[in-house]
Amino acid sequence: MSLLEIKGLNKSFGGLSALLEFDFRLAKNELIGLIGPNGAGKTTVFNLITGVYKPDKGKIIFAGEDITGLPAYKICRKGVARTFQNIRLFNNLSVLDNVRIALHKAVSYGLLAAVFRMPSYFAGERLIEQEALRYLEIFDLADKKNEIASNLPYGEQRRLEVARALATRPTLLILDEPAAGMNPYETQELMQLIRWIRDDFNISILLIEHDMSLVMGVCERIYVLDYGQVIAEGGPEEIRNNKRVIEAYLGEEVG
Amino acid sequence: MLEFFQQAVNGLSLGAIYALIALGYTMVYGIILLINFAHGDIMMVGAYVGFFSISLLGSNILVAMIFAMVTCAVLGVLIEKIAYKPLRNSTRIAALITAIGVSLFLEYITIFLLGATQRVFPASAFPAKYYNLMGIVISNKDIFIIVSAVLLMIVLHYIIKRTRTGKAMRAVSLDREAAVLMGISVDRTISVTFAIGSSLAAAAGVLVGVYYNTINPLMGIIPGLKAFVAAVLGGIGIIPGAMVGGFVMGILETMVSGYGSSLYRDAAAFGILILILLVKPTGLFGKNNGEKV
Amino acid sequence: MLELAALTAFFMLVQYMITVGILNQYYQINLTSMCINIILAVSLNLINGFTGQLSLGHAGFMAVGAYSSVVMTQMLGQPFIIGILAACLSAALAGFVIGVPTLRLRGDYLAIATLGFGEIIRVVLQNIDYIGGPAGIVGISKLTTWTWLFAGTVVSTLVIVNLINSSYGRAIISIREDEIASEVMGINTTRYKVLAFVVGALFAGFAGALYAHYFYIIKPETFSFLKSFDVLVMVVLGGLGSTTGAVIAAVFITVLTAALQTFPAVRMILYALILIIVMIYRPQGLMGNREFSLKIFG
């Protein structure tokens, strides 16, 4: 059974069609890549799945439920988490707070308990902090928990964003250009990390990436978008040899 | 029915004034996305300059208006350079707070220098006459206000559509970065926008003096807010929208005073504002633009 | 524990000085203004500083609180505590009714809409004859004591500080930091904006009740948007997002106001300059988002 199924999705901005009759399918535990030239509509797909934009037409089914047009926070609670192409951390807050905010729905105490500092507040806060630290440890950020997020070096900001997304306990993790700005060595590390996340957290991952070596190396299936339409779909080998894909990328780098 | 048309005519001159002020709001917003909260106070300064040039220099109303327009054009440019320019890359809220600061500054420096008392706009500058057109009474003041406002709007329209400066203004408001790449000086264009907007406000200030016969240092606040509502009503950043919005606001206001309670006049303006913001925040003539992610 | 002792000692010291007459009428009035300003600044800071939603309608909520408490105590003969509860509840309700539709708006539009609502509240009050119309209500009995002021200030500040330092507070702050990221992290941003707005309004109403029962007279004019700007100056000066800063700035502005009582125009010119200069040279305010912590409940 597929975890995410998209049928006939359309979105246009001011008359310009960004996405046309987009169909997509992702199985449980699958690791899928979405590639395409600049402006092909990849990030639009992500924004539509996560509820940042509302589609003009089409259906998005997640875990058997129609989530089309739901507000973003509800989609998150259904189990979809994401990172952003141009990292969007809570910049003036500490590393720990960034993850604690993502754990918001796990909070066990009420508003009055917080305001009047009842025992349940202290117990709940302790639990959240432990949980947040667990995620920070996984991403090797625990010793930086009190640093202000915007003061972290670039690579660590990317890791923090992934940690924060995972803290919402998703069943589908969506990564928007996770390797942007990384050197080949870091990209290699990232590939291992992505596979490990999928296996260890037992979730599905969908990623947009420009770095072909990463996409080809890590993804099991790849969708290629061009001008808002899927022009190819298949395993890395198929995609590498697909004529339309090569044409679409002509003049651009092909991994 | 006659009563209705009479109210509409009364509203027309007030609306012309609001439209002139609203134009400045909308031009500035269109170009730097700032609600220039001090715009109404620039109008007040214009009214004072007009007042003094009539009462001290004995100039006629047209000269007074030109005097006010030139002074306020300079004032507007100075305000932009000193207070707003350093904040061009800050948040819109920071810029708005600064604009509130500038507004308070203009109001209270005027009180400090000239006193808080109301001054009577010299009646000699404009002896009143009334005309009766098929039962509708219209004064020469109303005609003067409407005609001068419409003339200024035609001039503005010409500047924006036909001159290089106008083209630059439109380019900067569409896409500032692209305009820079095309060799347009953004700083200069913003200055020109402030100069034009402020001079229109100054003209409106003199017209307010004619309309209400009195001026005071806080006179800019309420008309300023109403003109802002007019700009939002027409779709902020859209020049014809501001003109239409201004007239609509003026006519609505006289209708509310005429048929309802004048005490609710000011609340009506804000009611309209909130209604538009909730129903169609882009205004009557606006298009939707979501945030880029 | 130490802080609790210090606060108690401060309370008793001031109470003693009032009783034996060291603090004369003049100082007492300023002390009252100071407490009321602290409550206003700390509560507006929750909305403007922590949630990042610029509200210019705080005086409107203060007015709702002031009038409803006075109706309770003066017209319906209820005790002060009922008046205060009515003030808090009615202001919170007003905050909810105004917040739900307007908080969908962003940034400067929200600012203008809240300013508009604040003015509408004032105009409506002017038009209700039962509460004196434009002339307001005169002869309100003086029920606001030092005990009320002190307890009110401490409780308001603590409630807001505790709210901020909880998961709910972090959700609120995340809206200021990045609304879209916050939403994508599963936070119902509209709900938390409304929460902050309602809590802020509630304490503004509380401040209104304390004000009305100290200064003998209330009229709609007192609660015009210039009053909202007063509070805004405090919040901006102290640092959007620092409760400590809001408290310090409220104290400072109260002292400044008292010192410049005979030169009201100069005071306003200074306010104006504070807004402009702080935004240009130190937009984070005096304190930024730093806090001195007072631990009372552990």
Side-chain angles (χ1 to χ4, degrees):
Chain A
M1 187 195 119
S2 51
L3 179 69
L4 177 68
E5 192 173 352
I6 299 176
K7 283 184 226 152
L9 206 60
N10 281 273
K11 178 74 185 171
S12 58
F13 297 100
L16 248 83
S17 187
L19 204 62
L20 228 127
E21 294 300 317
F22 178 75
D23 291 320
F24 180 88
R25 207 177 248 289
L26 176 145
K28 207 165 174 305
N29 270 4
E30 229 182 342
L31 212 170
I32 289 191
L34 183 61
I35 63 171
N38 277 326
K42 304 180 299 278
T43 297
T44 303
V45 173
F46 281 17
N47 284 334
L48 288 169
I49 297 175
T50 52
V52 175
Y53 294 157
K54 308 269 168 271
D56 300 335
K57 219 183 97 199
K59 259 197 170 18
I60 305 171
I61 316 279
F62 181 74
E65 249 181 290
D66 187 352
I67 60 164
T68 324
L70 281 187
Y73 76 91
K74 280 192 180 158
I75 292 178
C76 169
R77 289 177 190 187
K78 303 251 181 242
V80 182
R82 71 175 286 184
T83 64
F84 294 88
Q85 191 177 341
N86 44 348
I87 311 178
R88 295 184 88 131
L89 290 170
F90 303 121
N91 275 326
N92 299 308
L93 303 184
S94 70
V95 168
L96 181 64
D97 276 344
N98 266 273
V99 180
R100 285 204 284 195
I101 287 166
L103 287 163
H104 183 69
K105 66 177 167 178
V107 169
S108 52
Y109 57 86
L111 192 62
L112 289 180
V115 167
F116 297 109
R117 290 287 189 260
M118 294 179 199
S120 63
Y121 162 80
F122 294 103
E125 279 294 288
R126 221 172 300 126
L127 215 71
I128 285 181
E129 183 165 343
Q130 277 170 10
E131 188 71 1
L133 281 173
R134 201 167 67 84
Y135 285 100
L136 288 180
E137 265 155 28
I138 294 171
F139 289 89
D140 208 10
L141 290 164
D143 50 336
K144 303 216 165 172
K145 64 175 180 173
N146 293 323
E147 282 212 39
I148 298 299
S150 59
N151 292 345
L152 291 183
Y154 183 80
E156 287 180 351
Q157 290 196 19
R158 281 247 173 249
R159 290 215 301 271
L160 175 57
E161 220 194 2
V162 178
R164 186 181 67 171
L166 281 173
T168 67
R169 294 175 196 166
T171 42
L172 168 63
L173 177 65
I174 301 185
L175 303 171
D176 200 343
E177 296 200 28
M182 289 188 175
N183 63 34
Y185 173 74
E186 287 168 327
T187 307
Q188 279 297 316
E189 256 190 2
L190 180 72
M191 277 166 71
Q192 281 167 9
L193 183 67
I194 290 173
R195 267 198 221 102
W196 180 83
I197 290 171
R198 193 266 303 263
D199 297 336
D200 204 68
F201 286 85
N202 196 22
I203 58 177
S204 317
I205 295 180
L206 167 60
L207 60 91
I208 291 179
E209 192 43 72
H210 271 302
D211 188 315
M212 284 298 163
S213 61
L214 183 124
V215 178
M216 296 295 173
V218 78
C219 296
E220 288 145 2
R221 214 147 51 80
I222 296 167
Y223 279 79
V224 188
L225 265 182
D226 196 19
Y227 292 109
Q229 280 178 302
V230 178
I231 56 167
E233 183 244 309
E237 259 335 288
E238 277 173 76
I239 295 298
R240 212 191 296 272
N241 301 319
N242 186 302
K243 252 179 110 178
R244 287 189 68 187
V245 176
I246 296 169
E247 268 168 36
Y249 269 89
L250 212 63
E252 292 207 30
E253 48 186 332
V254 184
Chain B
M1 206 57 210
L2 199 66
E3 163 79 6
F4 179 83
F5 281 113
Q6 181 67 58
Q7 295 289 0
V9 168
N10 292 348
L12 223 50
S13 47
L14 191 59
I17 292 172
Y18 288 156
L20 278 184
I21 310 174
L23 281 169
Y25 265 120
T26 236
M27 288 166 66
V28 167
Y29 194 92
I31 217 153
I32 55 171
L33 296 180
L34 165 75
I35 297 176
N36 183 11
F37 212 83
H39 193 64
D41 303 297
I42 293 176
M43 179 211 88
M44 174 272 294
V45 174
Y48 269 85
V49 174
F51 170 83
F52 283 115
S53 65
I54 294 170
S55 62
L56 296 182
L57 307 176
S59 52
N60 73 27
I61 192 88
L62 283 178
V63 174
M65 205 191 261
I66 291 166
F67 222 69
M69 288 175 75
V70 173
T71 315
C72 285
V74 175
L75 177 67
V77 172
L78 277 180
I79 289 172
E80 195 276 324
K81 292 266 185 256
I82 296 168
Y84 301 153
K85 198 178 164 198
L87 287 163
R88 227 173 261 171
N89 296 318
S90 319
T91 61
R92 274 152 78 171
I93 288 182
L96 179 64
I97 291 174
T98 311
I100 292 173
V102 173
S103 162
L104 291 176
F105 183 80
L106 290 177
E107 287 157 16
Y108 287 92
I109 201 87
T110 310
I111 290 183
F112 183 72
L113 296 173
L114 303 173
T117 44
Q118 187 146 290
R119 284 162 198 261
V120 177
F121 210 75
S124 59
F126 217 92
K129 282 201 193 84
Y130 294 93
Y131 307 101
N132 194 322
L133 289 171
M134 295 181 295
I136 294 169
V137 179
I138 188 162
S139 71
N140 58 343
K141 277 184 180 180
D142 289 326
I143 296 170
F144 175 70
I145 290 171
I146 295 165
V147 169
S148 30
V150 170
L151 280 179
L152 285 168
M153 286 177 209
I154 292 170
V155 173
L156 176 72
H157 185 81
Y158 174 81
I159 293 175
I160 287 174
K161 291 283 172 194
R162 293 291 155 85
T163 64
R164 280 178 70 87
T165 312
K167 268 187 196 152
M169 283 163 64
R170 281 185 287 151
V172 174
S173 85
L174 262 179
D175 188 333
R176 190 188 297 175
E177 273 123 56
V180 173
L181 294 176
M182 294 294 135
I184 292 170
S185 161
V186 170
D187 281 348
R188 194 182 152 267
T189 310
I190 292 175
S191 291
V192 172
T193 308
F194 269 89
I196 296 176
S198 304
S199 61
L200 292 176
V206 175
L207 296 179
V208 169
V210 170
Y211 185 86
Y212 288 115
N213 291 322
T214 58
I215 60 172
N216 71 71
L218 301 181
M219 67 184 271
I221 300 174
I222 294 297
L225 285 170
K226 286 178 185 161
F228 173 76
V229 178
V232 174
L233 176 64
I236 195 146
I238 302 166
I239 286 175
M243 297 182 193
V244 174
F247 281 108
V248 171
M249 284 298 296
I251 291 168
L252 272 175
E253 182 175 331
T254 43
M255 294 283 172
V256 172
S257 315
Y259 292 105
S261 154
S262 64
L263 277 169
Y264 278 106
R265 198 179 55 197
D266 297 350
F270 286 113
I272 291 170
L273 171 73
I274 288 157
L275 205 67
I276 319 157
L277 288 181
L278 298 180
V279 177
K280 194 169 185 302
T282 48
L284 296 176
F285 300 89
K287 283 196 245 26
N288 248 321
N289 274 323
E291 188 182 348
K292 268 187 193 150
V293 181
Chain C
M1 257 0 254
L2 199 67
E3 283 103 339
L4 192 59
L7 277 175
T8 317
F10 176 73
F11 168 72
M12 295 190 18
L13 179 70
V14 173
Q15 183 63 59
Y16 172 77
M17 293 197 323
I18 292 172
T19 322
V20 300
I22 300 175
L23 282 180
N24 63 23
Q25 192 70 20
Y26 174 78
Y27 285 110
Q28 286 180 37
I29 287 175
N30 283 310
L31 193 64
T32 305
S33 300
M34 200 176 278
C35 291
I36 290 170
N37 282 340
I38 290 174
I39 299 174
L40 288 171
V42 168
S43 57
L44 183 66
N45 195 31
L46 175 66
I47 303 170
N48 287 8
F50 288 109
T51 324
Q53 309 296 313
L54 188 57
S55 164
L56 298 178
H58 221 49
F61 300 126
M62 192 185 172
V64 170
Y67 272 91
S68 31
S69 68
V70 169
V71 166
M72 279 294 168
T73 61
Q74 310 299 300
M75 292 161 166
L76 305 177
Q78 299 296 316
F80 192 32
I81 179 83
I82 299 291
I84 284 187
L85 285 177
C88 293
L89 288 178
S90 56
L93 184 68
F96 183 77
V97 170
I98 294 172
V100 167
T102 49
L103 286 166
R104 289 190 293 140
L105 304 166
R106 271 165 217 279
D108 39 14
Y109 276 86
L110 173 70
I112 299 292
T114 49
L115 183 120
F117 266 120
E119 287 300 285
I120 289 177
I121 289 176
R122 188 176 62 81
V123 174
V124 168
L125 291 174
Q126 268 175 359
N127 285 281
I128 303 176
D129 292 333
Y130 179 66
I131 49 172
I137 303 171
V138 186
I140 304 160
S141 40
K142 189 169 165 179
L143 301 172
T144 303
T145 57
W146 165 241
T147 312
W148 270 112
L149 286 166
F150 181 80
T153 311
V154 171
V155 169
S156 311
T157 311
L158 266 182
V159 165
I160 288 173
V161 168
N162 286 351
L163 172 65
I164 285 302
N165 290 319
S166 74
S167 183
Y168 302 95
R170 287 192 295 267
I172 283 172
I173 297 173
S174 76
I175 299 173
R176 173 192 74 195
E177 291 294 307
D178 189 328
E179 194 169 338
I180 287 178
S182 170
E183 184 93 1
V184 167
M185 291 303 126
I187 287 162
N188 183 348
T189 51
T190 312
R191 196 174 140 205
Y192 284 103
K193 280 195 242 177
V194 173
L195 173 70
F197 208 71
V198 167
V199 173
L202 184 149
F203 285 111
F206 180 35
L210 294 176
Y211 176 94
H213 291 86
Y214 192 91
F215 289 103
Y216 184 74
I217 173 172
I218 50 170
K219 49 183 178 184
E221 213 39 54
T222 313
F223 307 104
S224 76
F225 62 89
L226 283 174
K227 181 71 203 168
S228 299
F229 287 0
D230 271 8
V231 190
L232 179 71
V233 172
M234 297 172 206
V235 173
V236 166
L237 180 65
L240 291 162
S242 165
T243 306
T244 317
V247 172
I248 294 173
V251 171
F252 173 76
I253 292 287
T254 314
V255 173
L256 188 74
T257 308
L260 295 173
Q261 205 157 35
T262 39
F263 311 101
V266 175
R267 175 176 73 105
M268 294 307 288
I269 292 170
L270 273 178
Y271 280 13
L273 292 176
I274 287 174
L275 288 179
I276 299 168
I277 292 168
V278 169
M279 278 299 117
I280 294 178
Y281 294 104
R282 200 175 159 76
Q284 70 275 42
L286 295 180
M287 292 293 293
N289 50 17
R290 276 168 303 168
E291 304 282 3
F292 296 137
S293 70
L294 272 180
K295 288 202 177 66
I296 291 186
F297 296 133

